Amino acid sequence: MPASRRPASRATFTFFGQIRPDSFAEFAAHRAARLSIALDTIAVDATAARLRVAGAPDLVDAFEMALSLGPADCLVREVERNDND
């Protein structure tokens, strides 16, 4: 089945590391918009960011990868992913 026809995927991510809350939240919102996925920011502080997303499965995976690598002023050391039904 083509990616555009697969059901939406939902996941909750917790990114752990050295997080600059404003920068990370802005970066997450920008990436979610570029990937056309829904974003719900649950909590962001200096050590972790918890985000819930929904969209095409490949784009949810791309969001995880993008947030693992950026923004430049944050250092993500670990990611927990919980796929929601």
Side-chain angles (χ1 to χ4, degrees), residues 14-84:
T14 306
F15 298 90
F16 297 97
Q18 297 171 349
I19 306 294
R20 295 188 56 165
D22 291 339
S23 178
F24 199 87
E26 180 181 337
F27 187 80
H30 183 260
R31 287 298 177 265
R34 288 197 64 158
L35 294 168
S36 298
I37 61 174
L39 170 67
D40 179 24
T41 302
I42 300 168
V44 183
D45 63 30
T47 61
R50 187 167 171 83
L51 312 169
R52 184 177 301 122
V53 296
D58 292 342
L59 298 179
V60 170
D61 293 345
F63 179 84
E64 178 181 8
M65 180 59 69
L67 273 286
S68 296
L69 299 173
D73 61 351
C74 298
L75 177 61
V76 174
R77 297 184 185 274
E78 181 181 348
V79 179
E80 276 184 11
R81 178 176 179 157
N82 179 24
D83 292 310
N84 303 308

